[in-house]
Amino acid sequence: MLLQEIFKKYSTEAKSKAAFKALRDEQGVVCKKCGNNTHYWKSDKDKYQCKKCEFRTGLRNGTVMEASKLPYQYWMIAMSLVTATKKSFSTMEIQRQLGHKRYEPIWLMMQKIRMSMGNRDDNYQLGGFVEIDEGFFEGQQEKEKDDDKKDKYQAYQNKGKRQVKVLVAASTQPSSKLHKNKSKPKTVVKFIKMKVLDAITKEGINYEVKKHINPQSQAITDGRRVYSDLKNILKGHQSIICEDKKEVSKLFPWVHIAISNAKKMCLGVHHSINKAYMQNYLNEFCYKFNRRYYGAKLLERLLIAAVQKPWYG
Ligand SMILES: [Zn+2]
């Protein structure tokens, strides 16, 4: 959708709210109290009323918009903008496009949209052949209490910059095309996942792998000990010991391409991401990458993800 089409489609609050309600009606509302899924619409109250137990569900309840006081129009436009390009929009740019005075509510809205993208992708596990490696992203971190004790020079050196450790996995399949160019990967990538780790430990990696990779998969990693349990968790694990760094990136081409593109997004659009929110930005990157062939359907899918399930769980 072109930007002018987005602003035309959601040109008023009434149009935006109607579009959101139509989407909720289509996806169905489930009563929180009794689990029934048939409701009356109480237009005077802006609520659905359960046909069985009369419990009322607000139009925003149980969706990404729950507890938000921002207009429906903002949400619909923001979700349209997020899916309109392969690149990302900065919060500042979205705030400017919406003409809203305060930065914080727009920032929070964008974080929630990115969380709902992550929740949706968490419904799926990677399968088949999976490349696994780590990436190091530059992030900011709240000043730690210890920092006050350090000398000024060291505090300056540390100035809140932290490397954020990210586990990156890419499912691939052999390429049917023969490339003359030998540096091109011999596989094609299907789906990717990126998960922020507190530290690179065996336990942390095992946890994420169990959660996000199908046990029938075949993994390929470098030879470090942190990956030594994967042979017990997955059907197959190929561990490659390689001294030459250039060779390593040839062995795991897709995780490295994904890391480099995600870094470009983080540095180019969203400067200085706080470590605590890095996962949300990676969610957006992975969500859009995993649906790169959806075209105009991407917005529809995001809207469904945003109304179907609470963004927080
Ligand atoms: Zn009910």
Side-chain angles (χ1 to χ4, degrees):
M1 213 176 352
L2 295 168
L3 295 191
Q4 63 182 54
E5 289 174 36
I6 293 170
F7 286 95
K8 201 174 158 194
K9 192 169 176 191
Y10 304 116
S11 62
T12 65
E13 175 66 354
K15 269 192 196 175
S16 311
K17 188 178 166 186
F20 181 74
K21 182 175 177 291
L23 194 78
R24 271 215 96 171
D25 291 345
E26 203 181 283
Q27 294 304 314
V29 176
V30 177
C31 173
K32 214 161 128 184
K33 210 174 161 193
C34 77
N36 173 45
N37 60 3
T38 49
H39 289 79
Y40 301 106
W41 173 243
K42 307 281 278 182
S43 57
D44 54 329
K45 301 267 188 310
D46 248 5
K47 281 178 178 171
Y48 292 96
Q49 184 168 313
C50 176
K51 282 188 180 175
K52 253 188 184 168
C53 76
E54 299 193 334
F55 181 79
R56 286 177 185 175
T57 304
L59 183 52
R60 294 174 188 245
N61 279 40
T63 77
V64 72
M65 293 187 199
E66 188 168 296
S68 168
K69 289 190 173 68
L70 292 179
Y72 290 93
Q73 193 184 19
Y74 281 20
W75 285 92
M76 300 309 266
I77 289 176
M79 287 191 273
S80 307
L81 290 178
V82 166
T83 54
T85 78
K86 272 187 193 166
K87 299 217 173 85
S88 191
F89 278 91
S90 70
T91 301
M92 208 100 82
E93 180 62 16
I94 293 195
Q95 183 196 2
R96 200 178 68 82
Q97 294 286 347
L98 293 171
H100 192 73
K101 265 188 199 166
R102 289 179 58 226
Y103 178 82
E104 284 73 19
I106 305 298
W107 178 87
L108 186 61
M109 171 175 73
M110 297 313 297
Q111 297 300 338
K112 287 181 179 178
I113 291 172
R114 294 185 184 109
M115 282 177 179
S116 71
M117 290 173 151
N119 284 336
R120 176 52 63 146
D121 264 352
D122 281 351
N123 289 338
Y124 308 103
Q125 284 188 315
L126 297 181
F129 289 94
V130 184
E131 296 176 8
I132 303 173
D133 204 0
E134 306 106 40
F136 299 90
F137 288 69
E138 199 175 278
Q140 301 283 325
Q141 196 164 346
E142 300 298 328
K143 212 177 172 204
E144 283 167 24
K145 279 174 191 163
D146 291 359
D147 282 357
D148 299 334
K149 292 172 199 160
K150 286 175 190 160
D151 66 70
K152 273 183 185 171
Y153 178 72
Q154 204 180 350
Y156 172 77
Q157 287 273 328
N158 290 340
K159 215 184 161 194
K161 278 203 177 150
R162 294 287 186 280
Q163 283 212 313
V164 183
K165 300 159 194 86
V166 179
L167 188 72
V168 182
S171 66
T172 67
Q173 62 186 32
S175 172
S176 54
K177 280 187 210 156
L178 277 173
H179 287 295
K180 280 182 187 165
N181 186 345
K182 279 189 179 166
S183 66
K184 283 254 173 82
K186 291 179 182 62
T187 53
V188 284
V189 63
K190 289 158 78 185
F191 303 106
I192 59 167
K193 280 186 188 283
M194 295 188 177
K195 294 289 163 188
V196 171
L197 299 170
D198 282 332
I200 297 177
T201 61
K202 213 191 245 190
E203 292 72 27
I205 287 172
N206 291 351
Y207 173 82
E208 297 295 343
V209 166
K210 277 181 196 164
K211 199 169 165 196
H212 298 291
I213 300 177
N214 186 300
Q216 292 304 309
S217 307
Q218 308 265 356
I220 168 167
T221 68
D222 63 32
R224 275 170 309 148
R225 288 173 62 90
V226 284
Y227 294 117
S228 62
D229 284 349
L230 296 196
K231 60 180 186 299
N232 306 321
I233 298 171
L234 304 172
K235 194 180 169 195
H237 174 220
Q238 191 187 358
S239 149
I240 296 175
I241 297 157
C242 185
E243 299 289 326
D244 187 353
K245 274 200 170 177
K246 274 184 192 164
E247 288 300 313
V248 174
S249 61
K250 275 188 205 164
L251 292 168
F252 316 102
W254 293 112
V255 286
H256 289 133
I257 292 168
I259 290 168
S260 126
N261 289 338
K263 276 185 185 171
K264 271 183 214 154
M265 182 195 85
C266 290
L267 291 173
V269 182
H270 313 288
H271 314 280
S272 66
I273 296 173
N274 187 308
K275 188 192 167 192
Y277 304 105
M278 180 68 83
Q279 184 64 55
N280 294 342
Y281 294 88
L282 299 176
N283 288 350
E284 181 185 340
F285 180 81
C286 292
Y287 183 90
K288 283 155 82 167
F289 182 89
N290 290 338
R291 292 160 185 77
R292 60 201 177 281
Y293 304 122
Y294 278 35
K297 282 250 163 85
L298 186 59
L299 172 61
E300 202 186 304
R301 303 313 301 177
L302 175 60
L303 289 169
I304 291 171
V307 303
Q308 256 184 350
K309 208 179 161 201
W311 60 271
Y312 45 80

